Amino acid sequence: LREHLLDLIILLMVNDKSDAVSPEESSIKAAHRERAIAHIQYRHSDPQLTPKSIAAACGISVGYLHKIFHAADLRVEHLLYEQRLQTCRSMLLSAAHRGQSVQQIAFKSGFNHPSHFSRLFKQRYGMSPSEFRATQAE
């Protein structure tokens, strides 16, 4: 019952956004996508979060999850990594996390492999996490 209520609330939120749903996309698909996005935003720091676990939490198949994201020109993994990168960036800027290594921050943000994190961070922000932290400290 709680899940159905959440679906209805999300459906109402999606329908309130005039440009959120294209004419060829159903409100149900949009609501499923919004629910998956909310789940990613809430749980993105969990290193076990994968498209499979996201789909399971939303009560849909992995294939359907990818399909509803593709309909909005999104990719599940891209959104997940973007959320994690934003968290890492915030932590690197925060004085509260100055004593933590870049690797510790990556792990706390949900990344399992420091090299993968560093590569994605550099692609997104144009410099390594260490360089970013050093330039912000100046």
Side-chain angles (χ1 to χ4, degrees):
L1 183 61
R2 183 177 57 206
E3 288 181 23
H4 291 295
L5 182 59
L6 180 60
D7 285 341
L8 288 174
I9 292 169
I10 291 172
L11 184 58
L12 286 172
M13 290 171 32
V14 169
N15 283 337
D16 285 345
K17 300 175 187 174
S18 59
D19 61 346
V21 181
S22 65
E24 58 275 351
E25 181 179 38
S26 76
S27 295
I28 299 297
K29 287 181 183 177
H32 281 299
R33 183 177 53 252
E34 291 300 318
R35 185 173 182 201
I37 290 170
H39 184 74
I40 291 168
Q41 290 171 337
Y42 182 72
R43 305 263 332 264
H44 70 273
S45 294
D46 178 356
Q48 302 302 317
L49 191 64
T50 62
K52 184 177 179 180
S53 67
I54 295 164
C58 295
I60 58 177
S61 72
V62 177
Y64 183 70
L65 176 71
H66 287 294
K67 181 179 178 178
I68 61 176
F69 269 69
H70 182 72
D73 201 26
L74 297 171
R75 290 187 41 219
V76 179
E77 294 87 352
H78 178 77
L79 181 63
L80 179 57
Y81 290 142
E82 185 62 28
Q83 289 292 310
R84 288 176 176 169
L85 286 170
Q86 287 176 10
T87 297
C88 287
R89 182 181 183 279
S90 295
M91 291 174 79
L92 289 168
L93 291 173
S94 170
H97 299 283
R98 292 254 188 264
Q100 297 176 342
S101 70
V102 170
Q103 185 175 9
Q104 288 172 315
I105 289 173
F107 288 136
K108 283 186 175 185
S109 301
F111 286 98
N112 289 319
H113 305 287
S115 60
H116 183 233
F117 159 68
S118 291
R119 188 172 55 254
L120 289 176
F121 192 95
K122 189 168 186 171
Q123 285 174 351
R124 175 68 172 90
Y125 297 108
M127 61 183 80
S128 73
S130 299
E131 292 170 334
F132 179 81
R133 181 180 249 179
T135 61
Q136 300 306 312
E138 296 172 353

